[in-house]
């Protein structure tokens, strides 16, 4: 099976959905933050290994605690995944911290700040032009 075959893409999607459900509903570790999401999953074509990219909306400490909690519960998670997804081999799961969602939120916030700043500058320039025009009308 090739890496980007339709079968592999389907397996990735199914494993991602089930991992998300398992982490949200069944894992009871208090270190795992409630705003944890499975961003993407890459299952190897031989179904032996799996990289699960995890994003945590919170502080860096919460993200690292979540990652530690997931790594300590990887056996339980793999067992639940084997029950939920019918695969020949249940892959070994490696959790990787992915901050792309947090990065996107920060970029959106920065873009909004720049946009607001530009609008304020434009409004100030328009007010300044009105004052200058009123001053010129008074001189005539």
């Amino acid at each position: 099976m090739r890496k980007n075959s339709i079968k592999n893409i389907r397996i990735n999607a199914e494993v991602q959905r089930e991992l998300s459900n398992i982490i949200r509903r069944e894992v009871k570790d208090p270190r795992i933050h409630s705003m944890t999401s499975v961003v993407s999953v890459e299952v190897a074509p031989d179904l032996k290994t799996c990289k699960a990219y995890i994003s945590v909306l919170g502080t860096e400490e919460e993200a690292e605690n979540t990652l530690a909690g997931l790594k300590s519960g990887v056996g339980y998670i793999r067992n639940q995944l084997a029950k939920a997804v019918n695969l020949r081999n249940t892959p070994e799961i490696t959790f990787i911290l992915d901050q792309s969602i947090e990065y996107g939120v920060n970029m959106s916030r920065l873009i909004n700040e720049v946009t607001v700043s530009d609008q304020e500058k434009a409004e100030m320039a328009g007010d300044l032009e009105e004052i200058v025009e009123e001053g010129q009308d008074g001189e005539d």
Side-chain angles (χ1 to χ4, degrees):
M1 179 171 59
R2 292 187 324 265
K3 184 174 183 177
N4 291 325
S5 68
I6 293 172
K7 182 178 178 184
N8 193 261
I9 291 170
R10 284 186 190 161
I11 290 172
N12 289 344
E14 183 67 22
V15 169
Q16 179 180 355
R17 180 175 41 244
E18 291 303 327
L19 269 180
S20 182
N21 288 337
I22 292 167
I23 290 170
R24 186 175 339 116
R25 294 187 182 135
E26 297 179 24
V27 178
K28 303 295 184 208
D29 193 326
R31 293 177 288 182
I32 298 175
H33 194 267
S34 61
M35 294 297 286
T36 301
S37 58
V38 180
V39 177
S40 68
V41 170
E42 292 177 6
V43 178
D46 63 356
L47 304 176
K48 299 283 187 193
T49 61
C50 168
K51 293 179 184 175
Y53 295 92
I54 305 297
S55 180
V56 179
L57 196 59
T59 65
E60 284 188 34
E61 182 181 343
E62 291 170 334
E64 290 184 18
N65 288 341
T66 297
L67 201 57
L70 289 172
K71 285 181 180 179
S72 71
V74 74
Y76 174 77
I77 294 171
R78 185 173 182 221
N79 187 3
Q80 294 302 312
L81 183 64
K83 291 177 183 176
V85 179
N86 186 17
L87 294 174
R88 185 178 316 138
N89 299 317
T90 303
E92 291 284 334
I93 304 168
T94 304
F95 291 106
I96 301 170
L97 191 60
D98 181 15
Q99 296 296 354
S100 61
I101 293 176
E102 188 173 335
Y103 179 77
V105 168
N106 279 339
M107 290 306 290
S108 293
R109 182 182 49 80
L110 291 173
I111 290 170
N112 287 341
E113 287 176 5
V114 169
T115 304
V116 168
S117 175
D118 286 348
Q119 288 174 350
E120 289 173 354
K121 287 179 184 176
E123 288 173 7
M124 289 175 61
D127 292 343
L128 186 60
E129 286 177 7
E130 289 177 16
I131 293 171
V132 169
E133 287 175 6
E134 288 175 7
Q136 288 175 355
D137 289 340
E139 292 177 3
D140 290 335

